[in-house]
Amino acid sequence: MKKTALIVAIAFFMAAGSSKAVSASPDQSTAVRRRLAMESAARDNPFLILPHRPNYILPLAYNLHPNDEASGLEPGTLDELEMTFQVSLKVHLSELFPGNRGNLYAAYTSRSWWQAYSGDRSRPFRETNHEPELFLLYDTDWSVLGLRASSVIFGVSHQSNGQDGALSRSWNRIYTSIILERGNAIVSVKPWYRIPEREKDGPDDPDGDDNPDIRTYMGSGELGVFFRRARHTLTLTLRNNLRRENKGSVELGYSYPLTAKMKGYLQIFDGYGESLIDYDHRMSRVGVGILLADWL
């Protein structure tokens, strides 16, 4: 029954996407420039917190390969159909360079996986990942291989699932991100370096490294490709460890306008590291829902 509901929802989503889109006023500037200009106009408002990454809710998210073992459950316990959502916000801290070229931000992203349809198990939250960040966004005007390098980001982030003991997962990273664009097409190249942690003295040691092999599965960086046309956005995000094992992930997203402030959203994921509790387990998921804040 749940598989049928998901198939029907996807069919409705795709049919609605082919209907007439909400019109958008023409703008000759690039997609990144439009986004940064809107944020610049809004950030001086003391009552406003800016979106960081996409904010969405996927009421129907079907997982082809649930990982019961990672959560300490018996095989077959987890429901394949669950709800997942992401809340991602940032606040402007300071302008570090004159001319609005360098700005310091603090950000927080939370993503949850909710077993909302498991009524026999009190509908528990299977996993929630938290990621606070501090980063500098510097406005540039370089040309690279025919693309315009519009921004460079330098940041540090901590990601954790807030658990303890055997279920604890966390890591700290220093990263940089180069934003390349041409018209409404954007490429983001984001390599990172994991800050080392000491080895655990034993399985019950609360201070040691919870997941020493996480970079093998989460990769050494991320490549994002984004394209927007008439408020339709197509995104592709790739991660890879750049090693012989060739582990990583691919995520495809498509959003289309429903109203002036809301979009329909289809998300497909395959690979490792969708959530921290499952970082070393290959997942395949398709989700359908609502997008409240897009990349562009």
Side-chain angles (χ1 to χ4, degrees):
M1 182 66 181
K2 291 171 182 175
K3 293 182 181 179
T4 303
L6 182 62
I7 293 171
V8 171
I10 293 174
F12 172 80
F13 178 93
M14 298 306 293
S18 64
S19 64
K20 185 177 180 180
V22 177
S23 61
S25 58
D27 191 337
Q28 298 303 314
S29 64
T30 64
V32 171
R33 285 298 177 195
R34 291 196 297 270
R35 174 65 180 258
L36 293 178
M38 287 188 291
E39 289 187 358
S40 179
R43 69 184 176 216
D44 291 333
N45 186 337
F47 302 102
L48 187 66
I49 297 177
L50 302 170
H52 180 40
R53 300 175 186 171
N55 288 268
Y56 60 80
I57 179 169
L58 304 178
L60 297 175
Y62 188 80
N63 181 3
L64 277 66
H65 310 293
N67 187 10
D68 303 86
E69 183 180 356
S71 301
L73 302 172
E74 294 293 327
T77 302
L78 290 176
D79 199 333
E80 293 91 346
L81 186 63
E82 60 185 1
M83 182 181 298
T84 181
F85 55 90
Q86 178 168 287
V87 177
S88 185
L89 307 169
K90 66 185 176 187
V91 61
H92 180 253
L93 299 179
S94 178
E95 182 178 323
L96 298 184
F97 297 92
N100 197 30
R101 294 187 67 88
N103 291 278
L104 184 66
Y105 290 89
Y108 171 74
T109 301
S110 173
R111 186 176 181 189
S112 295
W113 292 262
W114 180 21
Q115 293 272 289
Y117 309 106
S118 298
D120 57 335
R121 298 180 52 241
S122 300
R123 312 180 197 278
F125 277 79
R126 178 175 64 83
E127 171 81 339
T128 296
N129 291 168
H130 311 271
E131 186 173 3
E133 298 175 69
L134 184 68
F135 65 92
L136 169 68
L137 188 152
Y138 187 76
D139 189 18
T140 64
D141 195 12
W142 306 332
S143 180
V144 179
L145 300 177
L147 299 174
R148 181 174 176 275
S150 61
S151 303
V152 178
I153 300 171
F154 304 95
V156 57
S157 76
H158 167 77
Q159 191 177 30
S160 169
N161 68 348
Q163 299 285 347
D164 60 4
L167 298 180
S168 177
R169 305 284 187 273
S170 67
W171 63 328
N172 303 305
R173 290 174 290 171
I174 299 172
Y175 67 86
T176 185
S177 180
I178 302 174
I179 311 299
L180 305 169
E181 60 176 321
R182 186 171 184 176
N184 287 329
I186 296 99
V187 177
S188 170
V189 182
K190 182 182 179 182
W192 56 62
Y193 168 75
R194 186 192 179 189
I195 301 174
E197 299 179 56
R198 71 169 180 82
E199 186 177 350
K200 279 181 175 289
D201 294 331
D204 297 326
D205 183 359
D207 297 324
D209 192 345
D210 295 319
N211 30 246
D213 61 344
I214 192 170
R215 196 171 72 88
T216 300
Y217 297 91
M218 298 289 274
S220 305
E222 188 174 87
L223 174 68
V225 181
F226 313 90
F227 181 78
R228 172 171 169 158
R229 185 179 181 86
R231 293 192 66 222
H232 291 250
T233 304
L234 185 66
T235 65
L236 175 66
T237 305
L238 303 172
R239 288 200 306 259
N240 196 275
N241 61 10
L242 302 179
R243 298 179 182 178
R244 183 175 298 178
E245 307 98 320
N246 194 34
K247 296 186 184 298
S249 67
V250 55
E251 182 179 290
L252 180 67
Y254 168 64
S255 65
Y256 71 93
L258 294 174
T259 69
K261 296 184 179 181
M262 187 180 299
K263 291 184 173 184
Y265 187 42
L266 172 66
Q267 185 187 81
I268 301 172
F269 178 91
D270 183 73
Y272 296 92
E274 188 197 28
S275 70
L276 287 179
I277 196 68
D278 294 311
Y279 77 90
D280 57 355
H281 178 81
R282 183 165 185 170
M283 310 287 284
S284 297
R285 181 192 299 279
V286 57
V288 179
I290 301 297
L291 185 70
L292 300 175
D294 210 339
W295 283 110
L296 301 172

